């Protein structure tokens, strides 16, 4: 049975350390061969937009844009449907490779066999 990580990040620039930790864990897991699904919710929703991750800065941390690129290249990135709607973000606005999906998709991934869900 293959293990996978489903990571939900609720923090953005409002809680930079927690936000960066989620992206760092996602990228590290992918580099280790673990399948990853990263969910952008709450304030992290803004990172689904082009250029927003480049604006994020945290001393002594890997650049968020690089971490996001790594996850987009080898994993899955999903923007929460309700979070997108509350911010007037549409499918036409997001970075290529980011999908928009809701709670049923998150629950399906989180309870799938071998999945470990983490929330930051």
């Amino acid at each position: 049975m293959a293990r996978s990580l489903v990571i939900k990040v609720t923090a953005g620039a409002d809680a930079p350390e927690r936000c960066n930790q989620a992206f760092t864990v996602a990228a590290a897991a992918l580099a280790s061969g673990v399948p990853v699904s990263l969910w952008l919710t709450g304030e992290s929703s803004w990172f689904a937009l082009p250029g927003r991750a480049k604006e994020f800065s945290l001393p002594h941390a890997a650049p968020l844009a690089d971490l996001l690129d790594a996850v987009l290249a080898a994993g899955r990135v999903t923007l929460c449907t309700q979070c997108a709607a509350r911010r007037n973000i549409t499918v036409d606005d997001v970075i290529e490779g980011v999908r928009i999906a809701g709670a049923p998709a998150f629950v399906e991934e989180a309870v799938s066999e071998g999945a470990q869900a983490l929330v930051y």
Side-chain angles (χ1 to χ4, degrees), residues 8-51:
K8 180 185 272 194
V9 55
T10 62
D14 59 324
E17 286 185 296
R18 189 162 33 110
C19 174
N20 193 271
Q21 287 169 1
F23 281 83
T24 299
V25 168
L30 285 165
S32 299
V34 176
V36 171
S37 176
L38 179 67
W39 281 74
L40 305 176
T41 68
E43 285 302 299
S44 73
S45 299
W46 296 113
F47 299 125
L49 298 175

Side-chain angles (χ1 to χ4, degrees), residues 58-72:
L58 181 64
H60 310 290
L64 197 70
D66 293 350
L67 297 171
L68 178 56
D69 287 346
V71 178
L72 283 166

Side-chain angles (χ1 to χ4, degrees), residues 14-113:
D14 59 324
E17 286 185 296
R18 189 162 33 110
C19 174
N20 193 271
Q21 287 169 1
F23 281 83
T24 299
V25 168
L30 285 165
S32 299
V34 176
V36 171
S37 176
L38 179 67
W39 281 74
L40 305 176
T41 68
E43 285 302 299
S44 73
S45 299
W46 296 113
F47 299 125
L49 298 175
R52 290 292 183 103
K54 288 183 190 287
E55 297 171 5
F56 181 93
S57 178
L58 181 64
H60 310 290
L64 197 70
D66 293 350
L67 297 171
L68 178 56
D69 287 346
V71 178
L72 283 166
R76 176 186 287 179
V77 178
T78 305
L79 171 60
C80 163
T81 302
Q82 289 182 16
C83 300
R86 280 190 283 277
R87 290 161 179 80
N88 295 314
I89 299 172
T90 70
V91 68
D92 295 327
D93 299 322
V94 299
I95 299 166
E96 185 176 340
V98 173
R99 71 176 181 149
I100 298 177
F106 176 79
V107 171
E108 182 180 352
E109 288 184 19
V111 301
S112 66
E113 187 173 350

